[in-house]
Amino acid sequence: MLTRDDLSNLMEQREGLCVSIYMPTHRAGNEIQQDPIRFKNLLNEAEERLESVGMRSADARRMLEEAKRLLSDSMFWQHQGDSLAVFIADGFFEWYHLPIGVNEMVMVIGGFHLKPLLPIFTANGRFYVLALSKNQVKLYEGTRYKLAEVKIDDVPKSLEDFLKYDEAEKQLQLHTGRSAGKGKGEAIFHGHGVGTDDEKDNLLRYCHDIDRGLQKFLKEDKAPLALAAVDYIHPIFREANNHRNLIENGIEGNPEQWSIEDLHKKAWEKVEPYFREEEKAAAEKYRELMGTGKASNSIMEIIPAAYGGRVDTLFVARGKHQWGRYDPDTNEVHIREDDEPETEDLLNLAAVMSLRHGGNIYALEPEEMPDSAIVASAFRY
């Protein structure tokens, strides 16, 4: 999965012509066979664009050679996400399976075009669902459009699986003379499903073990996490939880009984208000700061602020572009009408630089943008 470190690596590539290719892909079905054909067409388009801006045909073919090898890799096409992103430059080649939908696109400009990746890192793009029961532990990654299971290591498969290894650990500790702790704190549990103190203790330790595995996987991911479990498990997991974005109102019920479509519907009902409230508060803060020098909807002001780490919150319109070039030495922004070879999408630049400095990003539909602008920002100072 694409990480912030990957994004930083892509941002560093700003010299010479860069090729960015995005295309929807399929996880299953007969459509899988069409994906390499569509990718071949996009590579042909990239080659034509490279030649149209003056690159020799032989050099263009050489630049795309490594990407073309993917066309004959059948295993590669059988294990896709919702979309594929491919980045190519002189001596540089990376590809990523994406958990979000993107529009088909080929960009040949100075620097990689990274704006379609924003929903992966924005404050209103993704969420997780932990479907937890005594019989299974599953993690899902979702958007407003779909939910997909994420393979996660370092968590028990079930309560029985946990107790089996926990008992082996206890025996090891007994033989080595070490004592086994119970985890953090004591909790009071109410509801049906737990009886004896031993059951409660086992469930709490089970949840602690799941939480440790989640921490390894999620790390600094800011996406909200919704818990789907029967009612009595919710307070037990909350006692063990260390993920700061676990939403307050989880999904009550047995997730084993739901289809992935049902789980997605129930999860989105819980997380959408969370997204909307944060987005609404951020937009209100922006409006309050307008006219004070700490907010702007001018790309001429936002780009230098993003480079200088001043952007606290950035709103970017999906599907829109502002072509131009920024010279960090002179702090000048030059606007252009078209995507010429020496230009880049300044909205893309504002977003990736804001992310680099820890800014919060909201990728919105154009009609949802504050002031109906294509870009808007609240500054830290």
Side-chain angles (χ1 to χ4, degrees):
M1 185 172 139
L2 187 72
T3 67
R4 283 182 178 267
D5 288 341
D6 296 324
L7 189 66
S8 296
N9 187 36
L10 293 170
M11 285 189 285
E12 293 297 330
Q13 184 66 40
R14 295 178 51 78
E15 298 298 327
L17 289 173
C18 297
V19 178
S20 306
I21 298 176
Y22 293 89
M23 61 172 281
T25 51
H26 301 86
R27 295 177 183 265
N30 294 331
E31 294 90 346
I32 288 178
Q33 300 175 14
Q34 299 300 314
D35 288 343
I37 297 173
R38 290 167 50 234
F39 184 57
K40 181 179 180 181
N41 293 335
L42 294 175
L43 287 174
N44 290 338
E45 181 180 342
E47 188 171 337
E48 291 172 3
R49 291 198 182 191
L50 288 169
E51 293 174 5
S52 72
V53 296
M55 183 176 285
R56 294 191 312 162
S57 296
D59 292 335
R61 288 195 298 272
R62 177 183 55 79
M63 186 172 173
L64 300 173
E65 184 177 1
E66 197 168 355
K68 289 181 179 180
R69 293 196 189 106
L70 294 178
L71 294 171
S72 59
D73 188 343
S74 59
M75 291 299 294
F76 174 81
W77 296 104
Q78 289 174 23
H79 297 86
Q80 291 292 317
D82 293 320
S83 306
L84 175 66
V86 178
F87 303 100
I88 309 163
D90 188 23
F92 185 98
F93 173 68
E94 293 287 351
W95 56 262
Y96 298 95
H97 296 312
L98 304 181
I100 58 173
V102 299
N103 294 324
E104 196 170 276
M105 178 190 309
V106 176
M107 285 280 188
V108 179
I109 54 176
F112 290 126
H113 183 69
L114 305 177
K115 191 146 61 71
L117 304 178
L118 289 184
I120 298 176
F121 300 97
T122 55
N124 62 341
R126 297 179 307 125
F127 62 91
Y128 291 102
V129 178
L130 176 64
L132 173 58
S133 70
K134 292 180 179 180
N135 298 321
Q136 66 180 32
V137 182
K138 291 186 177 182
L139 183 68
Y140 296 88
E141 186 175 33
T143 67
R144 70 179 66 198
Y145 305 109
K146 62 171 57 180
L147 201 65
E149 186 175 354
V150 178
K151 296 300 181 184
I152 177 172
D153 299 322
D154 301 317
V155 297
K157 295 181 176 63
S158 65
L159 178 59
E160 181 181 7
D161 177 62
F162 166 74
L163 292 176
K164 178 174 62 178
Y165 288 101
D166 184 59
E167 184 60 32
E169 175 66 17
K170 283 184 177 179
Q171 291 299 321
L172 177 63
Q173 290 171 339
L174 181 64
H175 288 297
T176 57
R178 291 184 287 117
S179 60
K182 283 191 174 183
K184 66 173 189 181
E186 294 289 337
I188 299 174
F189 309 113
H190 302 281
H192 304 287
V194 288
T196 67
D197 289 341
D198 284 345
E199 285 184 275
K200 297 173 186 177
D201 184 67
N202 286 340
L203 278 171
L204 180 58
R205 290 186 293 109
Y206 175 49
C207 289
H208 271 297
D209 204 44
I210 293 167
D211 177 69
R212 282 189 288 270
L214 281 177
Q215 292 305 307
K216 289 181 182 179
F217 180 80
L218 296 175
K219 297 180 181 178
E220 297 181 2
D221 198 319
K222 295 181 180 179
L225 172 67
L227 174 65
V230 294
D231 58 356
Y232 66 84
I233 288 181
H234 282 260
I236 301 175
F237 183 77
R238 289 185 183 283
E239 170 69 15
N241 171 64
N242 282 290
H243 186 62
R244 59 182 176 178
N245 288 327
L246 179 68
I247 65 172
E248 185 175 348
N249 297 314
I251 309 159
E252 291 195 353
N254 186 352
E256 298 175 49
Q257 299 175 354
W258 301 327
S259 68
I260 193 168
E261 291 79 15
D262 290 336
L263 181 59
H264 177 254
K265 181 179 179 181
K266 294 174 184 292
W268 183 246
E269 288 174 354
K270 297 292 184 180
V271 299
E272 184 181 22
Y274 176 93
F275 286 138
R276 289 300 180 188
E277 282 302 313
E278 284 205 340
E279 182 184 312
K280 181 180 177 181
E284 186 59 34
K285 180 181 178 182
Y286 160 80
R287 294 187 185 95
E288 290 174 357
L289 292 174
M290 277 298 284
T292 68
K294 293 183 66 177
S296 176
N297 57 21
S298 168
I299 195 68
M300 306 292 284
E301 296 181 44
I302 292 173
I303 289 290
Y307 247 85
R310 292 176 51 217
V311 169
D312 177 69
T313 304
L314 184 76
F315 301 90
V316 180
R318 291 175 178 162
K320 297 294 184 180
H321 307 286
Q322 176 61 74
W323 303 108
R325 197 72 183 171
Y326 173 63
D327 186 342
D329 294 328
T330 63
N331 214 30
E332 293 179 344
V333 180
H334 303 278
I335 303 297
R336 298 287 185 269
E337 293 297 324
D338 301 310
D339 56 335
E340 303 164 1
E342 70 275 10
T343 65
E344 60 185 315
D345 183 1
L346 295 175
L347 303 186
N348 173 77
L349 180 61
V352 295
M353 292 309 300
S354 298
L355 277 172
R356 173 179 284 182
H357 292 289
N360 294 309
I361 314 294
Y362 290 90
L364 306 178
E365 297 301 326
E367 62 271 17
E368 298 174 333
M369 286 290 294
D371 298 338
S372 299
I374 60 173
V375 64
S377 177
F379 303 142
R380 293 187 173 110
Y381 54 90

